[in-house]
Amino acid sequence: MKINSLRHIIPAILVGLASSTAFAKTTLSERSIPTPVGISAEFSHVIENREMPLTIPVPESTEAWIALQNNFDRAGIELARGALERLGVTYEAKTFAGVDTFFVSPKNIAVEYEDKWLIHLHGGAFVFGGGESALREAAWLANGLGAQVISIDYRKPPLHPFPAALEDAVAVWKELIKKQKPTSTAIFGTSAGGNLTLATTLKLQELGLPLPGALYVGTPAVDLKETSDSWYVLEGLDPLGQRDGLIQSTLELYAGGQELNNPLISPVYADIESFPPTIFLTGTRDLLLSDTVRMHRLLRGADVETALHVYDGQSHGDYMLGLLADIPESEDAIKEIGQFFDIHLN
Amino acid sequence: MKINSLRHIIPAILVGLASSTAFAKTTLSERSIPTPVGISAEFSHVIENREMPLTIPVPESTEAWIALQNNFDRAGIELARGALERLGVTYEAKTFAGVDTFFVSPKNIAVEYEDKWLIHLHGGAFVFGGGESALREAAWLANGLGAQVISIDYRKPPLHPFPAALEDAVAVWKELIKKQKPTSTAIFGTSAGGNLTLATTLKLQELGLPLPGALYVGTPAVDLKETSDSWYVLEGLDPLGQRDGLIQSTLELYAGGQELNNPLISPVYADIESFPPTIFLTGTRDLLLSDTVRMHRLLRGADVETALHVYDGQSHGDYMLGLLADIPESEDAIKEIGQFFDIHLN
């Protein structure tokens, strides 16, 4: 029996270099996917009761973008308000360093967070998630850690493309570290907010400014130019939808004509020599799983201290569902972020 | 505009609890998956040139199992010999503590591994991968770390089901730690070998024996009873094939009539209070991605020191391709294992 004829029964590690038929594009057949085993009853309930998205047409004018933005955010604001009330988290809108922000306070402030504010950059594909809808993740983490959070309501497209959001984040950072030690401060965010957390840190490095002591980067969009593998593989399993169409358009709207592989736009193209300790969260059904692990590897390539946590069966940002209900996996994510911050900040 | 009508445009984190249509089984449509972006040219070449497996009929008698086993291993042995020669790794077959083993030595032994032997439990679905074919991963890691490795050619089904393999591993461990500090010793393995690494450690805990200082657990099969999510989601992308049929049969053959959720058979069902520091490797196209991250979470639930590394686009065990050719991702995996062992063993 020759090796060649055994290809089909030898594990992956052995076949790679011996075989010959190209599958540059692999065709996956239609298949039926059951609810994952081993997840909590609460999270199973979420998965079994949600719908996949409809396709939204890409707005064709600035006015149409703004109208869509307002519709998105109206719903997000309603959810944020419900979450704030459920968690007993309060906030105050302030202009800080000339930037619109929300100062978010948990019901009980933990001792280790008494004298500091963490910085939050919200998600929403760079275009959405502004106003009080930004408070969703801020409230989740403020409540979970007992931490005070400044959530930046950064300027957004269509009126304010890149680098407006980064300028806002840098301005807030510079002002904040006048009063608090940068190394005991964290910046955090999910999705576009994860991108902005990374890009802000790159920008601070470029400017020679002090860096945060740690980052929490949730399922970040790090490659706005190329479509990472999991966008294709997991399409249909993640309520985020698909990259083509509205999402790709938001990315281009954000870039505002700049090259999409500019590291401040797509951090996975950065040259990393050093970087603050970073905790990444994602899930096995997350369209941004590949973006997340690619960024994780980039940091590890420079021996940056990192932690990667991948939740089975979770789609984009699902770890944050604790915002809306008690979900064990969401409490676990809070525990991981808390431990990471305890080691590197507190 | 009501929240309900916005479901399709609100990110995953917001829709979960608000929607209503069950998707206990999601149907994924046929799709075409390109080669992942951001991977090395060498690994792209591997992906683009490999074939998906044919279906192997499940053997219907002990003799037929043994014949299949011999065919598998003959090819594995040939590959192992090529790898040993390429890497300049040598070995000696020995009976150690009454168990068949290979003592594997790299061309150059690193200072930190001079006075110790690491223990290797090979993969191969519990049934295959024996004899000198076991030397593949042993040679890869021995060469990568400059470490001496005892690779256990443990007894296997069909003649020797569970717990024969664990008994062999425990016997070798007891003998080895007469001469070397358990805390500076690691046990490691991939796939079924990852399972056996975890199960051996659980067995050592049960017996009250000293534990290893660290484990390297590559894409382990931790749930032989239930089929974890990625087995379904990634079917067609991983040359390992599919769970139904031959693979499920090997798992049952190994269990030999014992309950499949016995933690020594399926470690994900273990009650973990403490455990040695463990590094996990897997890939985003790995059928055992879910098994790996589920086990990672189980250990993290007990605050065990862990590292999780997920390689984009990699299928089952692909990080080990450095065995056969120079692949940057494989060198990176060696670097991660080496750093983890340096911290916890050396």
Side-chain angles (χ1 to χ4, degrees):
Chain A
M1 191 179 248
K2 291 198 307 182
I3 291 179
N4 211 43
S5 68
L6 276 167
R7 244 188 332 244
H8 52 293
I9 51 171
I10 302 173
I13 53 160
L14 303 176
V15 291
L17 299 177
S19 53
S20 60
T21 308
F23 91 129
K25 282 215 170 195
T26 305
T27 301
L28 296 185
S29 54
E30 184 178 292
R31 85 270 312 275
S32 190
I33 311 288
T35 302
V37 297
I39 62 176
S40 69
E42 293 87 340
F43 182 51
S44 292
H45 180 82
V46 172
I47 287 194
E48 292 179 355
N49 289 283
R50 67 181 166 196
E51 290 175 356
M52 289 298 114
L54 302 175
T55 304
I56 312 290
V58 177
E60 289 180 357
S61 67
T62 299
E63 293 66 34
W65 271 110
I66 293 173
L68 180 61
Q69 203 171 33
N70 288 336
N71 277 337
F72 260 85
D73 294 350
R74 205 172 303 148
I77 290 167
E78 204 169 314
L79 284 159
R81 287 191 180 139
L84 289 161
E85 196 177 313
R86 194 176 90 81
L87 303 173
V89 171
T90 55
Y91 71 97
E92 201 181 330
K94 282 192 190 179
T95 304
F96 184 80
V99 175
D100 290 340
T101 62
F102 299 105
F103 279 57
V104 181
S105 298
K107 205 160 35 182
N108 303 303
I109 299 172
V111 180
E112 61 270 34
Y113 292 102
E114 252 173 8
D115 301 316
K116 71 176 72 160
W117 293 83
L118 308 181
I119 291 186
H120 175 234
L121 291 156
H122 68 79
F126 301 97
V127 174
F128 309 113
E132 287 161 310
S133 72
L135 294 170
R136 290 164 294 177
E137 185 176 31
W140 175 67
L141 204 70
N143 174 69
L145 299 184
Q148 307 171 98
V149 172
I150 300 175
S151 184
I152 304 179
D153 190 14
Y154 51 82
R155 288 170 295 154
K156 282 179 241 344
L159 299 179
H160 304 286
F162 172 87
L166 293 188
E167 287 168 359
D168 289 352
V170 169
V172 168
W173 178 256
K174 284 166 78 170
E175 186 64 25
L176 182 67
I177 62 169
K178 288 180 186 167
K179 282 171 257 165
Q180 113 181 18
K181 259 178 72 179
T183 50
S184 25
T185 306
I187 305 181
F188 72 95
T190 282
S191 195
N195 171 301
L196 294 172
T197 298
L198 295 161
T200 298
T201 306
L202 290 169
K203 188 70 192 173
L204 296 176
Q205 284 186 320
E206 193 182 299
L207 295 169
L209 288 167
L211 302 181
L215 309 176
Y216 142 47
V217 172
T219 176
V222 298
D223 193 343
L224 278 58
K225 185 174 186 194
E226 305 290 346
T227 301
S228 298
D229 198 42
S230 55
W231 283 97
Y232 297 104
V233 174
L234 301 173
E235 187 178 320
L237 277 174
D238 186 333
L240 183 61
Q242 54 177 48
R243 172 94 167 226
D244 275 355
L246 185 65
I247 290 181
Q248 187 62 38
S249 299
T250 63
L251 306 181
E252 285 160 18
L253 195 69
Y254 170 66
Q258 301 292 308
E259 293 289 342
L260 290 172
N261 63 352
N262 176 341
L264 295 176
I265 291 173
S266 295
V268 81
Y269 297 107
D271 285 321
I272 302 281
E273 285 179 16
S274 65
F275 211 71
T278 302
I279 177 170
F280 291 95
L281 304 184
T282 180
T284 61
R285 291 184 174 192
D286 180 355
L287 288 178
L288 281 84
L289 170 63
S290 291
D291 274 56
T292 307
V293 303
R294 288 177 64 197
M295 194 68 205
H296 180 236
R297 298 258 44 88
L298 182 70
L299 296 192
R300 286 300 305 148
D303 292 330
V304 174
E305 284 192 76
T306 61
L308 171 65
H309 299 284
V310 183
Y311 289 92
D312 195 36
Q314 289 201 0
S315 295
H316 193 56
D318 276 350
Y319 51 80
M320 221 191 292
L321 280 162
L323 183 67
L324 303 175
D326 293 333
I327 310 265
E329 286 87 343
S330 195
E331 287 161 30
D332 182 77
I334 289 283
K335 189 201 82 170
E336 291 292 359
I337 298 167
Q339 284 194 10
F340 195 82
F341 284 2
D342 281 345
I343 294 168
H344 298 289
L345 291 186
N346 299 330
Chain B
M1 191 180 250
K2 292 198 304 182
I3 291 178
N4 211 43
S5 69
L6 277 167
R7 245 191 327 246
H8 52 291
I9 51 171
I10 301 173
I13 53 160
L14 303 175
V15 291
L17 300 176
S19 53
S20 58
T21 307
F23 90 130
K25 282 215 172 196
T26 305
T27 301
L28 296 186
S29 55
E30 184 178 292
R31 85 268 313 277
S32 190
I33 311 287
T35 302
V37 297
I39 62 176
S40 70
E42 293 87 342
F43 182 51
S44 292
H45 180 80
V46 171
I47 288 194
E48 292 179 356
N49 289 283
R50 68 181 166 196
E51 291 175 357
M52 290 298 114
L54 302 176
T55 304
I56 313 289
V58 177
E60 289 180 357
S61 68
T62 300
E63 292 67 33
W65 271 109
I66 292 173
L68 181 62
Q69 202 172 33
N70 288 337
N71 277 338
F72 260 86
D73 293 351
R74 204 172 305 149
I77 290 168
E78 204 169 316
L79 285 159
R81 287 191 181 142
L84 289 162
E85 195 176 313
R86 196 177 91 80
L87 302 173
V89 171
T90 55
Y91 71 97
E92 202 181 330
K94 283 191 191 181
T95 303
F96 184 78
V99 175
D100 290 339
T101 63
F102 299 104
F103 279 58
V104 181
S105 298
K107 204 159 38 181
N108 303 303
I109 298 171
V111 180
E112 61 270 35
Y113 292 101
E114 253 172 10
D115 301 316
K116 70 175 73 160
W117 293 84
L118 308 181
I119 290 185
H120 174 235
L121 291 156
H122 69 79
F126 301 98
V127 173
F128 310 113
E132 287 161 310
S133 73
L135 294 170
R136 290 164 294 176
E137 185 176 31
W140 175 67
L141 204 71
N143 174 69
L145 299 184
Q148 306 171 98
V149 172
I150 300 174
S151 184
I152 304 180
D153 191 13
Y154 51 81
R155 288 170 295 153
K156 283 180 240 346
L159 299 181
H160 304 286
F162 172 87
L166 293 187
E167 287 169 359
D168 290 350
V170 170
V172 169
W173 178 256
K174 284 166 78 172
E175 185 65 24
L176 182 68
I177 61 170
K178 288 180 186 167
K179 282 172 256 165
Q180 115 181 17
K181 259 177 73 180
T183 50
S184 22
T185 306
I187 305 181
F188 71 94
T190 281
S191 194
N195 171 301
L196 293 172
T197 298
L198 296 161
T200 298
T201 306
L202 291 168
K203 187 70 193 173
L204 296 176
Q205 285 186 320
E206 194 182 299
L207 295 170
L209 288 167
L211 301 181
L215 308 178
Y216 142 47
V217 173
T219 176
V222 298
D223 193 343
L224 278 57
K225 184 174 188 194
E226 305 289 347
T227 301
S228 297
D229 198 41
S230 55
W231 284 96
Y232 297 105
V233 173
L234 300 174
E235 186 177 319
L237 277 173
D238 187 333
L240 184 61
Q242 55 177 46
R243 171 93 167 225
D244 275 355
L246 185 65
I247 290 181
Q248 187 61 38
S249 299
T250 63
L251 307 180
E252 286 161 17
L253 195 69
Y254 170 66
Q258 300 293 306
E259 292 290 342
L260 290 172
N261 63 352
N262 176 340
L264 296 177
I265 291 173
S266 294
V268 81
Y269 297 108
D271 285 323
I272 303 282
E273 283 180 17
S274 66
F275 211 71
T278 302
I279 177 169
F280 291 95
L281 304 184
T282 180
T284 61
R285 291 183 174 192
D286 181 355
L287 288 178
L288 281 83
L289 170 64
S290 292
D291 273 58
T292 307
V293 304
R294 287 176 65 199
M295 193 70 207
H296 180 235
R297 298 259 43 88
L298 182 70
L299 296 191
R300 285 300 305 148
D303 291 330
V304 175
E305 283 192 78
T306 61
L308 171 65
H309 299 283
V310 183
Y311 289 91
D312 195 35
Q314 290 201 358
S315 295
H316 192 56
D318 276 350
Y319 50 80
M320 220 191 293
L321 281 163
L323 183 65
L324 302 175
D326 293 333
I327 310 263
E329 286 87 344
S330 195
E331 288 162 30
D332 183 77
I334 289 282
K335 189 200 83 169
E336 292 293 359
I337 297 167
Q339 284 194 11
F340 195 81
F341 283 2
D342 282 344
I343 294 167
H344 298 289
L345 291 186
N346 299 331

